[in-house]
């Protein structure tokens, strides 16, 4: 599984988040947005700023 994590805060994008602007993050990986493959996660990451990266 792939996740989107913020390198500055250590939080993951929340599964209900549509982008960085909505401020929905989580420290609980069970509530994090997750993706089957890197490509899908990478597409999702386009809605987030440079502090965010795809992580396995």
């Amino acid at each position: 599984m792939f996740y989107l994590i913020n390198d500055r805060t250590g939080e993951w994008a929340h599964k209900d988040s549509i982008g960085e602007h909505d401020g929905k993050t989580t420290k609980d990986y069970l509530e994090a947005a997750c993706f089957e493959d890197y490509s899908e996660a990478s597409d999702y990451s386009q809605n987030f700023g440079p502090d965010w990266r795809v992580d396995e």
Side-chain angles (χ1 to χ4, degrees), residues 12-48:
W12 290 290
H14 193 277
K15 61 184 172 188
D16 294 332
S17 178
I18 58 171
E20 182 174 16
H21 68 280
D22 65 21
K24 293 180 181 176
T25 62
T26 183
K27 290 196 180 261
D28 182 352
Y29 79 94
L30 295 174
E31 294 180 351
C34 62
F35 305 91
E36 292 290 324
D37 59 53
Y38 182 88
S39 177
E40 187 180 1
S42 180
D43 287 347
Y44 178 70
S45 75
Q46 299 305 306
N47 297 320
F48 294 81

